[in-house]
Amino acid sequence: MDLQHLANIAIEAALSAGKIIQKYKDDNIAVEQKEGGSTYASQVVTKVDRECESIILSHLIPTCKRFDIGLLSEETNDDGSRFKKPFFWCIDPMDGTLAFINKHPGFSVAIALISRDGMPVIGVVFDPSTETLYHAIKGYGAYKNRRRWKIKNSNKHLTYITDKKLSDTPNFTKIQNILNTYKSNLALKNIKEISGTGAVMCAILVIENGPACFLKLPKKEIGGGSIWDFAATACIYNELGIAATNFKGEILDLNKEGNTFMNHEGVFFANLMLNSKK
């Protein structure tokens, strides 16, 4: 299987979806609710999400037939092909729908190719707000706007990236203690917060604002993001050599059975290197 060829197709699909998002970004879009997790953010959907999915599938479905690839996409029922095929496409047509509705930067397109055992081998993210493309291919590195991406951490503070403000987060104290521990261990001056973006851009902003982290604690309630919220960025992190794990520091379960939600294990995306150029 030619991963570079498939990555180019995924990139074109993401850019096409990005154009749709840009067309609607200043409009007042009707909001619908769908079955989702326990949070409002996981339940909102718009016609933009669906149009993005349609254009992405027009690019990817031919590859499914040609290369025997399965499919998992947020706005389409899971057909179980991800458990039968050697690889499957994992698509978030527009992550951060709530940010998009609120006209707040932090929405993006995310496409990953994942092996049946849960290993991401292609990750593509497009940020329509800044027209920035991020992608990675297993064994070939990570790229920003098609140039090799090198991490440059220069902050003297720890940045906590979050979809929901820390003060509004359950287990606020536990997360605060975790952040304080990292701040102390890294001898950083203080902690700053960037909030209100979707999970995909949270992970990207961690790389862009190091030292930084984004995390979700394990919980009983259905939610915590879905496979498609973390798959593309997990591939990018793997190629950059930084942590994209579950909360315990173990490999993310990116092809779990039962449902797609990640609440059972939580997530931890971290870029905690100091003054590094990787």
Side-chain angles (χ1 to χ4, degrees):
M1 184 175 290
D2 187 342
L3 293 182
Q4 297 216 35
H5 172 66
L6 290 172
N8 287 335
I9 294 172
I11 287 170
E12 290 307 310
L15 294 176
S16 296
K19 289 179 182 178
I20 291 173
I21 295 172
Q22 290 169 331
K23 181 176 72 172
Y24 288 112
K25 68 182 179 65
D26 296 322
D27 296 350
N28 293 316
I29 302 296
V31 180
E32 304 169 41
Q33 279 192 261
K34 62 180 180 180
E35 184 178 349
S38 57
T39 64
Y40 180 65
S42 68
Q43 299 167 4
V44 292
V45 65
T46 70
K47 69 175 185 178
V48 184
D49 297 83
R50 296 192 178 100
E51 286 189 26
C52 287
E53 183 176 76
S54 179
I55 194 71
I56 290 169
L57 293 180
S58 73
H59 287 268
L60 299 187
I61 284 179
T63 71
C64 294
K65 297 175 180 177
R66 181 179 176 187
F67 298 103
D68 195 31
I69 298 173
L71 187 68
L72 176 68
S73 188
E74 181 173 9
E75 309 307 337
T76 299
N77 290 334
D78 184 359
D79 64 2
S81 61
R82 59 193 176 102
F83 302 119
K84 302 171 186 175
K85 307 291 186 178
F87 294 89
F88 68 95
W89 288 114
C90 183
I91 304 162
D92 195 338
M94 183 170 66
D95 182 66
T97 301
L98 193 57
F100 174 79
I101 293 165
N102 293 329
K103 296 181 171 51
H104 185 288
F107 44 88
S108 61
V109 181
I111 301 172
L113 183 67
I114 307 176
S115 64
R116 187 164 51 201
D117 63 3
M119 173 62 69
V121 297
I122 292 173
V124 176
V125 173
F126 180 62
D127 176 3
S129 297
T130 61
E131 297 192 336
T132 306
L133 172 69
Y134 307 88
H135 83 278
I137 305 170
K138 188 176 186 295
Y140 292 91
Y143 298 81
K144 178 179 178 180
N145 289 328
R146 302 180 193 268
R147 294 186 177 185
R148 180 76 73 151
W149 196 6
K150 296 182 179 181
I151 300 174
K152 298 178 181 179
N153 292 345
S154 57
N155 291 334
K156 301 299 183 184
H157 58 268
L158 174 67
T159 305
Y160 173 57
I161 315 291
T162 173
D163 48 357
K164 183 186 294 184
K165 288 183 179 180
L166 181 57
S167 58
D168 297 332
T169 303
N171 296 308
F172 162 89
T173 303
K174 184 174 182 178
I175 295 175
Q176 186 70 62
N177 289 339
I178 292 168
L179 298 177
N180 283 332
T181 297
Y182 281 116
K183 183 193 75 170
S184 298
N185 290 346
L186 297 171
L188 298 170
K189 293 182 178 180
N190 58 339
I191 299 169
K192 295 187 178 180
E193 179 180 296
I194 299 175
S195 64
T197 68
V200 172
M201 285 310 299
C202 279
I204 293 295
L205 289 173
V206 166
I207 306 173
E208 298 276 28
N209 293 275
C213 65
F214 161 58
L215 62 90
K216 286 184 177 290
L217 299 175
K219 62 179 184 178
K220 293 180 180 179
E221 299 83 7
I222 291 293
S226 283
I227 295 170
W228 48 73
D229 291 306
F230 308 112
T233 48
C235 184
I236 292 169
Y237 272 59
N238 290 346
E239 290 303 300
L240 289 172
I242 54 178
T245 68
N246 68 17
F247 186 70
K248 293 181 179 180
E250 301 164 341
I251 295 174
L252 281 169
D253 184 2
L254 292 175
N255 197 20
K256 66 184 292 286
E257 296 187 22
N259 61 55
T260 62
F261 294 109
M262 304 295 284
N263 54 286
H264 66 299
E265 63 177 16
V267 298
F268 184 70
F269 283 69
N271 169 22
L272 298 173
M273 298 178 292
L274 295 178
N275 302 316
S276 73
K277 294 183 180 180
K278 190 173 177 61

